[in-house]
Amino acid sequence: MDLPRFAKKVRVLQTCYNSKVNPEIIYLDHAAATPVDDRVLAAMLPYMVEQFYNPSSPYAPAVQVRRDYQEAKRRIAIVLGGRADELVMTAGATESIALAICSGQGHVVTSAIEHASVLAAAESRDHTIVEVTPRGIVTAEAIRAALRPDTYLVSVALANNELGTIQPIRDIAEVVHAERNRRREAGDTRPIYLHCDASQGVGQIDVNVARLGVDMLTVNAGKLGGPKQVACLWAASSVRLTPLISGGGQERGLRSGTENVAGTMGFARAIELAHEHRNYEAKRLASLRDQLQARLTTAFPQAVVSGHPKRRLPGFLHISFAGIDAERLVFLLENQGVLVATGSACAANKNTRSHVLAAIGLAPELADSSVRLTLGRLNDEAQMARASEQIIAAVEHEYARLRR
Amino acid sequence: MDLPRFAKKVRVLQTCYNSKVNPEIIYLDHAAATPVDDRVLAAMLPYMVEQFYNPSSPYAPAVQVRRDYQEAKRRIAIVLGGRADELVMTAGATESIALAICSGQGHVVTSAIEHASVLAAAESRDHTIVEVTPRGIVTAEAIRAALRPDTYLVSVALANNELGTIQPIRDIAEVVHAERNRRREAGDTRPIYLHCDASQGVGQIDVNVARLGVDMLTVNAGKLGGPKQVACLWAASSVRLTPLISGGGQERGLRSGTENVAGTMGFARAIELAHEHRNYEAKRLASLRDQLQARLTTAFPQAVVSGHPKRRLPGFLHISFAGIDAERLVFLLENQGVLVATGSACAANKNTRSHVLAAIGLAPELADSSVRLTLGRLNDEAQMARASEQIIAAVEHEYARLRR
């Protein structure tokens, strides 16, 4: 590890990234949302003001906007290892997932720990939900066992959004490829595709469509320092997509509507930055997360860390303190400026127990005592020391209250 | 007309609006895109940076973001004369239109001059396309004649996006209400709704859901000084919508995906500004448009102005110069810094002849000689004088070339 070079990068990250976010707040919910990076904002602003033209307009300044937009898509595609003409820009990951899953009519295979958007789309089709291991892994064997001759899509997230568990997508891809070959040899022309929601993981682990072996990939700008409701679906040119929204014919007819030019310019910058800093950032976040985990599990040996101990995103720590009410803990910590999540923040204000924790067999009382700590670019070592002190104090306060 | 008050408003408009747009350019394509107003941008930026939180997260700063988001929806609803819980935020007008039209399964009635997004959504259903008058009016009689016992939706735009023709929505609403009453009296429980795409017109004419008598209304931030790919569907609480995109359950389950908080904050500010300045702006734009039209038709008495002479958005001028190639005209004008459209800019780069001009019976050779000039907040009187000089010179240049 080239320390001086990395030290320089830290400086770049710390001086350029979100100069306006309150440094008093320790934000441990990067999986829910990330602020727009200053450099990303700088890439977006011209396309909201000076270069506001409709990319479909005929005059030169608008044609230039169209070229810039296409170039931004090309830059996103390069990071993902795909081609620009394989990208469909969508308004958020949920739309990207719906576009992927609702493009066919056959049988869908997905897992019990997928995001609500994947499960909701799968429910609109004939589908099979595979169980996961107690550590939250979707095994290739489980996927293989669920395949049917009419399965057209397998959808598994790259990393789970509550536990951070990294799925064996390459192994699952081999299963899908084997089924595809079997069909081809049998003269069966029905396609089978693998879709992967990479909303969590870009900027922390390698996300390359060829190396993953996927046919479709969802990437979400809002989780990597880009704007909200900006995402894309990469789909190999062999995949036939059916548009959810038709009209003017933008995105090769696959997503009509005037393009979100500024959002796409921001997405391109955000994913380039995430890619550029990935190796360093993955090591840095794993180190911060491991410090936090060590401090919390030392203070509370009975605490339960869920998910896979190794095959886990570096920034993720899912931890349960038996007996504690997680919602009270969130409130106590919030008063100390430490922002953490209970379970998934994506299910809009629903006070239902996490289906992910149920799927890994976590007892309901432990599930209710769980917090999800997700680290990211806003965090540093000093914050981890303060955060662990605050979390330990809050948990002790709650245990003391319970003992009374 | 309270002149000093209006004079002050002009100053406000001119000093605050888009300080960064190149003043050398005369932009006559406001129907295609508008720059984000400086004040709108100021309303958006905090929610991209300091207040970047996911509105579904449980801690106080995120709850505040959620409240601000809901308040922004309330402010949009107030301008439209509806309630916040009747608004579904969508990523652009095309999605809003698809949500409205694809929410039922029966028969759809729409007109031959609707936007491509309306026609595409209608094509996914059993549908009837009604003809329009030579001036581009969709008559209530034509709609009445097309209704069937199983019609569940009538969709007519408030104002046509190529001609600016303002449709008799209130009369059409009466036809729909009469059919609804007829069904009710006959014990027929099948609903019938009126959807209106108001992508063009907000900020120039009155857009109030109660006064229009509509059941659903599409409004597009990107056409009124707000960000692109931000829009909404207002739907009366009696309307049952079917989500296009499911998942986390945001927007009362009607549009899942993390909310575009910044975009919605911008939309609220943009529609308030458009509403506040509407009376003044409508008079100002009509005066500018009439000056431009008078100069052009005086110079070229054979020029054909399409659309209704009176029932037309104040900022719209659709004019054809027989024999001239409109694409060459766009190019000549662009070199002089005057940006105009040929037909609709929304149909992404499709070199097909406008279906709107065909529907009003404009001869193909006249259609190919047409430009759409749409005025807006970036324009003033001095620009109109310069623009008409440039257009006259360019058309004369082309006629001279043709005579050679």
Side-chain angles (χ1 to χ4, degrees):
Chain A
M1 197 163 144
D2 176 357
L3 277 173
R5 198 173 117 241
F6 281 133
K8 192 179 154 212
K9 281 200 183 173
V10 180
R11 217 166 31 242
V12 170
L13 278 167
Q14 292 180 341
T15 54
C16 295
Y17 188 73
N18 294 125
S19 49
K20 282 175 192 151
V21 174
N22 183 350
E24 296 298 303
I25 286 178
I26 302 179
Y27 181 66
L28 301 180
D29 201 15
H30 284 81
T34 51
V36 176
D37 187 292
D38 290 351
R39 294 158 292 183
V40 170
L41 197 56
M44 294 174 67
L45 288 177
Y47 296 88
M48 302 181 83
V49 189
E50 303 98 297
Q51 288 152 278
F52 66 92
Y53 305 103
N54 189 319
S56 297
S57 288
Y59 31 81
V63 171
Q64 185 58 47
V65 168
R66 175 154 212 88
R67 284 202 196 105
D68 294 349
Y69 175 78
Q70 286 167 334
E71 173 63 14
K73 285 180 69 174
R74 197 183 65 82
R75 288 161 51 204
I76 296 167
I78 285 172
V79 172
L80 300 176
R83 293 201 319 263
D85 63 2
E86 295 168 331
L87 276 196
V88 182
M89 301 310 299
T90 61
T94 297
E95 184 186 329
S96 167
I97 288 164
L99 179 60
I101 298 183
C102 299
S103 274
Q105 285 295 341
H107 174 247
V108 174
V109 173
T110 189
S111 94
I113 61 168
E114 297 306 313
H115 189 271
S117 51
V118 170
L119 295 173
E123 270 165 28
S124 69
R125 297 291 184 272
D126 183 11
H127 67 286
T128 300
I129 308 268
V130 306
E131 294 307 314
V132 301
T133 72
R135 287 176 162 179
I137 300 285
V138 182
T139 66
E141 292 66 36
I143 295 292
R144 192 194 333 260
L147 293 184
R148 296 194 330 209
D150 63 335
T151 301
Y152 82 93
L153 191 81
V154 173
S155 181
V156 177
L158 181 64
N160 181 266
N161 68 310
E162 293 189 37
L163 307 169
T165 328
I166 301 168
Q167 304 301 344
I169 298 295
R170 267 168 290 199
D171 300 345
I172 294 170
E174 277 178 24
V175 166
V176 171
H177 297 168
E179 171 65 10
R180 186 177 295 156
N181 289 336
R182 189 199 62 73
R183 290 185 191 178
R184 191 177 293 137
E185 282 162 21
D188 182 345
T189 58
R190 286 177 293 188
I192 180 166
Y193 300 126
L194 173 58
H195 168 250
C196 177
D197 171 17
S199 288
Q200 303 292 344
V202 176
Q204 297 191 28
I205 56 174
D206 180 42
V207 183
N208 177 290
V209 294
R211 284 193 288 275
L212 290 170
V214 298
D215 303 297
M216 289 185 257
L217 186 84
T218 290
V219 183
N220 188 348
K223 308 291 192 193
L224 49 91
K228 286 183 179 63
Q229 238 180 66
V230 175
C232 69
L233 179 68
W234 171 85
S237 49
S238 55
V239 178
R240 294 231 173 153
L241 296 170
T242 309
L244 291 169
I245 296 161
S246 296
Q250 288 89 346
E251 304 295 306
R252 293 172 292 132
L254 294 168
R255 207 303 182 182
S256 289
T258 301
E259 296 88 344
N260 187 347
V261 180
T264 304
M265 301 309 296
F267 189 0
R269 191 77 186 100
I271 200 169
E272 281 176 348
L273 287 167
H275 185 68
E276 188 187 328
H277 295 291
R278 178 172 66 82
N279 286 332
Y280 169 73
E281 192 65 358
K283 287 193 184 75
R284 192 181 76 88
L285 293 180
S287 160
L288 295 181
R289 189 266 319 274
D290 292 345
Q291 290 167 38
L292 190 60
Q293 180 171 335
R295 285 181 177 130
L296 297 180
T297 52
T298 302
F300 306 102
Q302 76 278 34
V304 176
V305 174
S306 293
H308 197 282
K310 292 199 170 152
R311 283 153 63 181
R312 188 166 47 142
L313 288 181
F316 268 67
L317 173 57
H318 188 284
I319 189 162
S320 313
F321 303 100
I324 300 291
D325 178 345
E327 285 180 21
R328 285 186 53 92
L329 193 57
V330 167
F331 181 69
L332 285 174
L333 288 172
E334 158 197 319
N335 286 335
Q336 305 301 325
V338 181
L339 305 183
V340 306
T342 56
S344 170
C346 284
N349 277 342
K350 278 184 273 176
N351 286 319
T352 50
R353 205 165 272 150
S354 156
H355 68 282
V356 173
L357 302 183
I360 61 167
L362 201 70
E365 51 286 9
L366 261 185
D368 293 344
S369 307
S370 304
V371 286
R372 179 189 69 173
L373 313 175
T374 50
L375 282 50
R377 278 187 260 173
L378 291 177
N379 304 131
D380 60 25
E381 216 156 306
Q383 283 194 343
M384 286 311 99
R386 272 173 58 209
S388 51
E389 275 168 31
Q390 297 291 357
I391 296 170
I392 290 167
V395 173
E396 274 174 353
H397 175 273
E398 284 298 287
Y399 277 132
R401 198 178 65 86
L402 291 172
R403 279 192 301 267
R404 274 203 298 270
Chain B
M1 195 160 146
D2 178 355
L3 276 174
R5 197 172 117 240
F6 280 132
K8 192 178 154 213
K9 282 200 182 174
V10 179
R11 216 161 38 238
V12 170
L13 279 166
Q14 291 182 342
T15 54
C16 294
Y17 188 74
N18 294 124
S19 49
K20 282 175 190 148
V21 174
N22 183 351
E24 296 297 302
I25 286 178
I26 302 178
Y27 181 66
L28 300 179
D29 201 14
H30 284 81
T34 52
V36 176
D37 186 293
D38 290 351
R39 294 159 292 183
V40 170
L41 197 56
M44 294 175 68
L45 287 177
Y47 296 87
M48 301 182 84
V49 190
E50 304 98 297
Q51 289 153 276
F52 67 92
Y53 305 104
N54 190 318
S56 297
S57 288
Y59 32 81
V63 171
Q64 185 58 48
V65 168
R66 176 156 209 84
R67 283 201 198 105
D68 294 349
Y69 176 78
Q70 286 167 335
E71 173 63 13
K73 284 179 70 174
R74 198 183 65 81
R75 289 161 51 203
I76 296 167
I78 285 172
V79 172
L80 300 176
R83 295 200 318 263
D85 63 2
E86 296 168 331
L87 275 196
V88 182
M89 302 309 299
T90 60
T94 297
E95 184 186 330
S96 168
I97 288 164
L99 179 60
I101 298 183
C102 299
S103 273
Q105 285 294 342
H107 174 246
V108 174
V109 173
T110 189
S111 92
I113 61 167
E114 297 306 312
H115 189 270
S117 51
V118 170
L119 294 173
E123 271 166 27
S124 70
R125 298 290 183 273
D126 183 9
H127 66 284
T128 300
I129 307 268
V130 306
E131 295 305 314
V132 300
T133 72
R135 284 175 163 179
I137 300 286
V138 182
T139 66
E141 292 66 36
I143 296 291
R144 192 193 333 261
L147 293 185
R148 297 193 331 209
D150 63 336
T151 301
Y152 82 94
L153 193 81
V154 173
S155 182
V156 177
L158 180 64
N160 180 266
N161 68 310
E162 293 189 38
L163 306 169
T165 327
I166 300 168
Q167 304 301 344
I169 298 295
R170 269 170 287 199
D171 300 344
I172 294 169
E174 278 179 24
V175 166
V176 172
H177 297 169
E179 171 65 10
R180 187 178 295 155
N181 289 337
R182 189 198 63 72
R183 291 185 191 179
R184 192 177 293 138
E185 283 162 22
D188 182 345
T189 57
R190 287 176 293 188
I192 179 165
Y193 300 126
L194 174 58
H195 168 251
C196 177
D197 171 16
S199 289
Q200 302 293 344
V202 177
Q204 296 192 28
I205 56 173
D206 181 41
V207 183
N208 177 288
V209 293
R211 284 194 287 275
L212 289 171
V214 297
D215 303 295
M216 291 186 256
L217 186 84
T218 291
V219 184
N220 188 348
K223 307 290 193 194
L224 48 92
K228 285 183 179 63
Q229 239 178 65
V230 175
C232 69
L233 178 68
W234 170 86
S237 48
S238 55
V239 178
R240 296 229 172 153
L241 296 170
T242 308
L244 291 169
I245 296 161
S246 296
Q250 289 90 344
E251 304 294 307
R252 295 172 292 132
L254 294 169
R255 207 301 181 182
S256 289
T258 301
E259 296 88 342
N260 187 347
V261 180
T264 305
M265 301 309 295
F267 189 176
R269 191 77 187 100
I271 200 169
E272 282 176 347
L273 287 167
H275 185 67
E276 187 186 326
H277 295 291
R278 178 172 65 84
N279 285 332
Y280 169 73
E281 192 65 359
K283 287 192 185 74
R284 193 182 74 88
L285 292 180
S287 160
L288 294 181
R289 189 265 321 270
D290 292 346
Q291 288 168 38
L292 189 60
Q293 180 171 334
R295 284 180 178 131
L296 297 180
T297 52
T298 302
F300 306 102
Q302 76 278 33
V304 176
V305 174
S306 293
H308 197 281
K310 292 200 170 152
R311 284 153 63 182
R312 187 166 49 143
L313 288 181
F316 269 68
L317 174 56
H318 188 284
I319 190 163
S320 313
F321 303 100
I324 300 290
D325 178 344
E327 287 180 22
R328 285 187 52 94
L329 193 56
V330 167
F331 180 70
L332 285 174
L333 289 172
E334 159 199 317
N335 285 335
Q336 306 299 324
V338 181
L339 305 184
V340 307
T342 55
S344 170
C346 286
N349 277 344
K350 279 184 273 177
N351 286 319
T352 49
R353 206 165 271 151
S354 156
H355 67 283
V356 173
L357 302 184
I360 61 168
L362 201 71
E365 51 286 9
L366 260 186
D368 294 344
S369 307
S370 304
V371 287
R372 178 188 70 173
L373 313 175
T374 51
L375 281 50
R377 278 187 260 173
L378 291 177
N379 304 132
D380 60 23
E381 216 156 305
Q383 283 195 342
M384 286 312 99
R386 270 172 58 209
S388 50
E389 275 168 30
Q390 296 292 355
I391 296 170
I392 291 167
V395 173
E396 275 174 352
H397 176 272
E398 285 299 285
Y399 278 131
R401 199 178 63 85
L402 292 171
R403 278 193 301 267
R404 274 203 299 271

